[in-house]
Amino acid sequence: MARPNDEVEALLREYADLIAITGGDAFKARAYEKAARAIGGYPADISRLDEDGLREIPNVGRSIADKVSEYLRTGKLAVVEERRAKIPAGVRELITIPTLGPKKALRLYEELHISSVSELASAVEADALADLKGFGERTQENIRHGIELLQRSGGRVPLPLALDTAEEIVGELSRVTGCARCAYAGSLRRMRETIGDLDVLVAARRSEPFMTALCELPATAEVIAQGAKKTSVRTAKGLQVDLRVLPPRSWGAGLQYFTGSKAHNIRTRTIAVHQGLKLSEYGLFDSESGESVASRTEEEVYARLGLPWIPPTLREDRGEIEAALRGELPEVVTERDIRGDLHTHTDLTDGLAPLEEMVEAAAGRGYAYYAVTDHAPNLYMQRMTDEKILAQRERLRELDGTRRRMRLLHGTELNIGPDGEVDWPDEFLAGFDLCVASLHSHFDQGRAAMTRRLVRACENPYIHVIGHPTTRLIGRRPGVDADWDEVFAACARTGTALEVNAQPDRLDLCDEDILRAVEHGVKFAVNTDAHSVPHLAQMRYGVGTAQRGRLTRDDVINTWPLTRLRRFLRKAGR
Ligand code: DGT
Ligand code: CA
Ligand code: CA
Ligand code: ZN
């Protein structure tokens, strides 16, 4: 179930957008955006808070608290309804195009009656924007590029929405009488970075109660097709869900089949054929007698094919079958192997929670160590100073070891400047236990300059981890252009780890980049880059991505015991 916090976050963001589109006070729009973020990141369920409780959330004042309680009480927010009536939903969709601001979106609507991305795409195509003041060649080009990025994500949804929906549906269907097993399969089980549709499986003798239950779920907005074997619905958030009900004895075969990928299944079916067997969603059968030889569990099915069980995140036909046949399947890292998070923020910069709360929550996750890495002074809007970071260090040293004996590392997230330079001089950097360094601007330098910039960061003896290395934002911004093989080689040579940033809209490095970097012998850090307490739980997306990149414990520095990690942090040249 979506948390009330998430619902309110979305609503307040919409309100902020609507204020901006209708030309309202920019300051007010920004205040709502900040409140939205704070509420989304607030650890407690806001539907249980009274007005006073609400006002304790950072960036939530009286007027916003009033609106939140109005929504919690009535399920509606009058001011949003009013503005929705004036502005078609599609106009708001326009501002999801990177580089298209609210003012331009409103003008497109008022002057050309454009109220959706596809209408805008046709207008650009027909060169209908040329006469509009302020929409010069460059703007049009930006819009064209932005639309392309949006369309490339092609209606696929981000992991968190898919996972939340899947867990809700699996929870509901598991409660239906007669349910022997229930799970999600498909690309979500393989943890692809975006999801086309959900594939939910049930093992039961009768299918009808489950098909009906799915159609009647509160999340279901539309029934696409209802049948005895398969039912498809669409949720209110536009996600398609396919439900299949299998006989309990076919559970393992069904799970294997519908987990995919298609490419992986083609390989397993071929292996079956070579052994005189036939593999389907119902089981593995002897081709001649038709007798079932394995079907109850995935392990049985793989074993009968002469293969070990293959983790779903590897099932892409990217060499996993060959490795399995050779008995060299990597033992991929799991969430339980993670001993600490090495890139996190507090409210000293742009995080939402104070140091104490982040530390408490991290200890609650059972971590052995935890690094705090607030932004350094060169991201000017964060207003970091030497005094502030040293005061934080002092407080952190006091807290060190006091929460379930978790050890604290004092770090920072440096900004890699256009020439590879960073925020502080060496003497000052030497005082940190760990430095992450990331790109935050100047993304269009060209390949050679960008490569030099990143290599120089690796060669800095005080930089241990390159944060979100490509800076891509899934569906919104491509990664920077660099000679990555050269960067990966520099990482391996200098003992600099690459981050697998777990934020679900980043997942940076992505699986394919990881596979390439591993070839160079690079080490990795799987980090959440948490800006709030709930973000710490996003580790699962980072681990999923690391698995898809075939990383083992040995490849990931934050699975190591602290003594080994500390050795890694004593980088050559220091
Ligand atoms: P998605 O939904 O685009 O994110 O990706 P998947 O992998 O979830 O694809 P989907 O939903 O079309 O099908 C789920 C799995 O079911 C797929 O990974 C393999 C299996 N499957 C579905 N249709 C076929 C088919 O026609 N042939 C084979 N071999 N497998 C299929
Ligand atoms: Ca699917
Ligand atoms: Ca499907
Ligand atoms: Zn960060």
Side-chain angles (χ1 to χ4, degrees):
M1 191 65 196
R3 294 193 320 152
N5 298 38
D6 299 334
E7 280 170 26
V8 171
E9 178 182 358
L11 190 74
L12 295 185
R13 273 188 203 278
E14 180 180 352
Y15 187 44
D17 286 351
L18 290 171
I19 293 172
I21 293 170
T22 50
D25 182 357
F27 179 77
K28 184 172 164 193
R30 178 125 181 78
Y32 274 92
E33 232 174 77
K34 277 162 86 173
R37 208 159 71 87
I39 288 171
Y42 198 66
D45 179 345
I46 54 154
S47 64
R48 294 176 189 205
L49 300 179
D50 58 13
E51 292 251 346
D52 287 342
L54 288 171
R55 289 177 60 185
E56 275 171 29
I57 303 175
N59 299 321
V60 176
R62 193 170 66 207
S63 135
I64 295 180
D66 278 349
K67 295 200 174 57
V68 174
S69 26
E70 178 192 335
Y71 174 75
L72 294 172
R73 221 175 36 244
T74 65
K76 272 196 200 137
L77 197 51
V79 287
V80 171
E81 303 285 320
E82 267 164 41
R83 292 197 192 225
R84 273 182 187 161
K86 288 187 211 140
I87 302 289
V91 177
R92 201 181 155 226
E93 190 197 354
L94 291 180
I95 67 171
T96 60
I97 297 173
T99 73
L100 191 65
K103 289 212 180 74
K104 286 204 163 69
L106 184 64
R107 289 193 44 219
L108 288 168
Y109 173 58
E110 287 183 341
E111 296 176 33
L112 299 177
H113 308 291
I114 291 172
S115 62
S116 72
V117 173
S118 60
E119 282 172 26
L120 179 59
S122 323
V124 171
E125 196 89 337
D127 206 20
L129 266 47
D131 300 336
L132 213 54
K133 215 170 140 243
F135 286 78
E137 221 11 81
R138 169 126 199 173
T139 305
Q140 288 190 53
E141 188 44 47
N142 282 340
I143 291 177
R144 204 171 293 131
H145 180 65
I147 293 175
E148 220 177 82
L149 271 176
L150 262 190
Q151 290 174 340
R152 204 172 308 155
S153 63
R156 300 181 64 84
V157 309
L159 259 182
L161 171 60
L163 192 56
D164 287 351
T165 312
E167 285 179 341
E168 181 186 343
I169 292 175
V170 167
E172 296 279 349
L173 296 181
S174 300
R175 277 196 286 279
V176 174
T177 316
C179 181
R181 302 292 296 266
C182 182
Y184 58 82
S187 51
L188 179 60
R189 186 162 179 244
R190 304 197 311 279
M191 281 283 227
R192 273 195 61 178
E193 60 193 37
T194 59
I195 304 301
D197 65 17
L198 286 183
D199 301 280
V200 178
L201 303 180
V202 161
R205 287 212 273 207
R206 291 181 51 229
S207 73
E208 193 274 329
F210 298 91
M211 302 311 191
T212 306
L214 178 68
C215 296
E216 287 172 357
L217 285 185
T220 297
E222 178 197 345
V223 176
I224 301 166
Q226 185 171 0
K229 276 189 183 162
K230 175 177 164 187
T231 291
S232 297
V233 303
R234 198 180 317 281
T235 70
K237 293 194 176 143
L239 178 58
Q240 181 175 328
V241 184
D242 294 341
L243 169 66
R244 281 123 175 150
V245 180
L246 302 154
R249 65 173 182 286
S250 296
W251 176 251
L255 193 56
Q256 199 280 331
Y257 183 91
F258 290 112
T259 295
S261 64
K262 270 180 200 157
H264 175 89
N265 287 358
I266 289 171
R267 298 295 306 276
T268 49
R269 270 207 311 272
T270 310
I271 293 176
V273 170
H274 285 296
Q275 300 179 12
L277 301 169
K278 192 174 153 284
L279 181 58
S280 77
E281 64 265 51
Y282 296 106
L284 189 56
F285 302 92
D286 186 301
S287 317
E288 279 180 12
S289 66
E291 195 183 325
S292 169
V293 297
S295 65
R296 283 196 174 272
T297 67
E298 275 195 331
E299 284 82 354
E300 265 178 37
V301 172
Y302 278 109
R304 189 65 183 70
L305 293 172
L307 295 168
W309 180 82
I310 298 176
T313 43
L314 296 182
R315 300 182 196 172
E316 298 288 350
D317 190 22
R318 289 197 287 216
E320 76 281 5
I321 302 270
E322 291 77 2
L325 287 169
R326 286 196 307 270
E328 287 170 9
L329 204 59
E331 206 175 302
V332 288
V333 59
T334 66
E335 207 178 348
R336 256 187 303 166
D337 297 329
I338 301 291
R339 292 190 205 229
D341 200 327
L342 300 180
H343 178 178
T344 70
H345 296 271
T346 73
D347 63 0
L348 187 60
T349 55
D350 56 350
L352 291 170
L355 175 67
E356 287 75 7
E357 281 176 27
M358 293 302 284
V359 167
E360 192 73 52
R365 294 180 57 81
Y367 287 151
Y369 47 81
Y370 181 74
V372 176
T373 58
D374 272 314
H375 290 289
N378 289 359
L379 276 191
Y380 301 106
M381 64 281 193
Q382 307 297 344
R383 299 173 194 283
M384 180 54 83
T385 63
D386 296 9
E387 294 70 36
K388 276 160 86 175
I389 199 111
L390 292 174
Q392 181 187 57
R393 182 175 304 161
E394 201 168 315
R395 179 71 193 120
L396 179 134
R397 299 292 184 227
E398 286 165 13
L399 288 172
D400 185 16
T402 62
R403 299 291 186 280
R404 306 189 194 198
R405 297 224 197 97
M406 185 179 76
R407 298 305 307 270
L408 295 175
L409 301 174
H410 192 234
T412 182
E413 178 180 11
L414 299 166
N415 179 55
I416 306 176
D419 297 313
E421 74 281 14
V422 293
D423 313 57
W424 274 302
D426 288 359
E427 314 84 79
F428 198 81
L429 294 180
F432 289 100
D433 300 318
L434 169 134
C435 296
V436 176
S438 331
L439 305 171
H440 297 103
S441 62
H442 302 86
F443 299 138
D444 303 322
Q445 283 182 310
R447 172 177 287 232
M450 185 61 81
T451 307
R452 268 199 308 281
R453 180 182 180 187
L454 286 164
V455 169
R456 195 169 153 215
C458 293
E459 286 169 348
N460 184 324
Y462 298 96
I463 294 178
H464 302 104
V465 179
I466 305 292
H468 44 76
T470 77
T471 75
R472 71 149 179 179
L473 293 173
I474 296 172
R476 282 185 289 152
R477 182 169 79 203
V480 296
D481 188 22
D483 180 343
W484 288 105
D485 283 309
E486 196 176 327
V487 175
F488 296 158
C491 287
R493 172 164 50 80
T494 58
T496 311
L498 284 165
E499 182 170 78
V500 177
N501 188 295
Q503 288 186 10
D505 61 343
R506 288 192 186 270
L507 301 177
D508 180 15
L509 291 180
C510 70
D511 53 359
E512 285 175 4
D513 292 338
I514 296 171
L515 288 167
R516 215 162 120 196
V518 172
E519 296 296 315
H520 291 272
V522 178
K523 298 293 179 196
F524 300 82
V526 183
N527 295 327
T528 62
D529 193 0
H531 284 69
S532 69
V533 165
H535 285 169
L536 291 171
Q538 295 182 336
M539 185 58 85
R540 61 198 300 194
Y541 306 120
V543 170
T545 304
Q547 291 186 346
R548 293 177 58 83
R550 306 178 73 164
L551 296 187
T552 65
R553 281 199 298 274
D554 190 53
D555 299 319
V556 178
I557 64 172
N558 52 323
T559 66
W560 298 350
L562 186 57
T563 43
R564 184 175 175 198
L565 175 63
R566 283 203 197 274
R567 269 203 304 282
F568 182 86
L569 298 178
R570 282 197 298 272
K571 211 176 154 180
R574 284 189 71 154

